[in-house]
């Protein structure tokens, strides 16, 4: 089955962009995913093809109009009726690997890219649109966020990464950052690869990796660590909560 990506944007020429290359590019050729871009401006109704207007209440910049966005989203739904619609906005829920996995399990994704000061809020009331952020940064447009999310989805599609690397040992997959990696040469500028990785003892290697993943998550990402250690310390069955 082909994972259907639809991108609503004022800059369709930005796609597939970097997704034309490497893993994603090959997967596109192999039709493991498909890409359709929708020019938001095509849904403007006046002769100047206006998509934005000044913010109600005053202030800098321009806001994307709800009527134009609504028509563009409706069009995308006709193209891909089952796909969830994600609007790119720093006000949204930060994207996670878990959400990416859910998206990949579905028929595809429709991504709405903002520009200027963003969207008229009423689009989120009038249409079933999920607000998603790439993280606590401000981009000039939603397109790089859309490319990042599509890239994260595509690499998980069946057949894209090859059988050996299912991606399940990566950062976030088990709630932890990945352990540090090393490769030859054994010595570089006086620095050596940790001895345990050369021991050939698979159990010892696994234990070392786990402890490094935990230590690094704890020091670098206290937010992830808290969630991980809460889940770990809570009995899986919930049996203790019975009395
Ligand atoms: N005024 C808005 C920012 C607008 S930036 C605010 O302060 O919240 C212009 C567009 O870039 C947004 O509409 C959105 O589509 C995109 N964008 C910017 N930062 C983003 C982020 N962290 N995640 C996803 N999209 C982002």
């Amino acid at each position: 089955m082909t994972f259907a990506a639809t991108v609503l944007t004022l800059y369709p020429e930005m796609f597939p962009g970097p997704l034309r290359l490497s893993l994603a590019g090959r997967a596109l050729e192999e039709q493991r995913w498909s890409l359709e871009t929708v020019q938001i401006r095509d849904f403007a109704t006046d002769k100047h093809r206006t998509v934005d207007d000044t913010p109600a209440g005053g202030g800098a910049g321009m806001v994307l109009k709800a009527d134009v966005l609504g028509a563009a989203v409706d069009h995308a739904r006709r193209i891909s009726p089952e796909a969830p619609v994600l609007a790119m906005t720093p006000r949204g829920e930060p994207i996670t690997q878990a959400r990416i996995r859910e998206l990949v399990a579905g028929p595809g994704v429709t991504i709405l890219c903002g520009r200027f000061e963003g969207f008229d809020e009423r689009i989120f009331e009038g249409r079933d649109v999920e607000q998603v952020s790439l993280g606590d940064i401000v981009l000039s447009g939603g397109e790089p966020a859309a490319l990042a999310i599509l890239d994260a989805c595509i690499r998980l599609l069946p057949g894209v990464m090859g059988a050996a690397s299912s991606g399940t040992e990566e950062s976030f997959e088990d709630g932890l950052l990945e352990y540090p990696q090393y490769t030859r040469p054994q010595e570089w500028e006086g620095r050596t690869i940790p001895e345990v990785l050369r021991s050939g003892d698979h159990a010892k290697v696994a234990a070392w990796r786990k402890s490094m993943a935990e230590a690094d998550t704890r020091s670098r990402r206290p937010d992830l660590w808290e969630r991980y250690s809460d889940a770990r310390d809570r009995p899986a069955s919930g049996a203790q909560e019975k009395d």
Side-chain angles (χ1 to χ4, degrees):
M1 218 184 66
T2 302
F3 182 82
T6 309
V7 180
L8 283 63
T9 170
L10 289 168
Y11 296 95
E13 57 276 29
M14 287 193 186
F15 297 86
L19 301 180
R20 204 191 312 265
L21 305 170
S22 189
L23 275 186
R26 200 172 325 128
L28 186 58
E29 270 170 32
E30 292 168 356
Q31 296 179 8
R32 297 186 194 279
W33 68 290
S34 66
L35 174 69
E36 179 141 5
T37 54
V38 173
Q39 169 57 271
I40 294 172
R41 199 172 293 283
D42 289 348
F43 299 89
T45 50
D46 63 337
K47 69 170 191 279
H48 303 294
R49 304 221 298 156
T50 308
V51 295
D52 56 342
D53 206 337
T54 53
M62 300 294 273
V63 176
L64 288 167
K65 287 156 56 64
D67 53 341
V68 178
L69 293 170
V73 168
D74 293 345
H75 177 75
R77 280 227 192 282
R78 285 192 291 273
I79 297 176
S80 200
E82 306 300 329
V85 181
L86 275 51
M88 300 295 98
T89 164
R91 286 166 44 83
E93 177 100 3
I95 190 75
T96 61
Q97 189 65 10
R99 185 71 187 111
I100 296 288
R101 286 240 173 237
E102 286 173 7
L103 292 172
V104 169
V109 63
T110 295
I111 303 186
L112 174 59
C113 301
R115 279 274 152 181
F116 322 122
E117 292 309 317
F119 310 102
D120 184 313
E121 188 67 16
R122 291 170 294 178
I123 188 64
F124 305 118
E125 297 157 14
R127 294 293 182 277
D128 184 12
V129 174
E130 182 181 330
Q131 299 180 63
V132 172
S133 168
L134 195 62
D136 293 345
I137 55 171
V138 180
L139 302 165
S140 57
E143 290 79 6
L147 289 167
I149 287 172
L150 290 177
D151 179 275
C153 289
I154 293 159
R155 64 187 284 284
L156 294 181
L157 293 172
V160 173
M161 276 197 299
S165 41
S166 64
T168 50
E169 270 202 29
E170 312 270 11
S171 290
F172 313 118
E173 293 291 355
D174 56 1
L176 294 172
L177 301 178
E178 195 184 57
Y179 46 82
Q181 301 272 17
Y182 299 86
T183 188
R184 283 180 284 269
Q186 168 56 23
E187 188 180 328
W188 175 71
E189 296 189 349
R191 295 162 198 279
T192 54
I193 294 176
E195 200 53 47
V196 57
L197 298 180
R198 296 197 306 150
S199 67
D201 182 334
H202 296 305
K204 250 165 102 185
V205 169
W208 180 85
R209 286 179 165 168
K210 180 81 185 280
S211 75
M212 291 303 285
E214 291 188 346
D216 287 347
T217 304
R218 186 178 197 156
S219 64
R220 295 171 185 204
R221 292 292 304 273
D223 57 323
L224 289 182
W225 178 251
E226 196 176 333
R227 224 173 309 151
Y228 173 81
S229 44
D230 278 359
R232 187 193 50 185
D233 298 343
R234 205 179 308 127
S237 64
Q240 281 190 353
E241 273 142 40
K242 277 203 179 113
D243 50 27

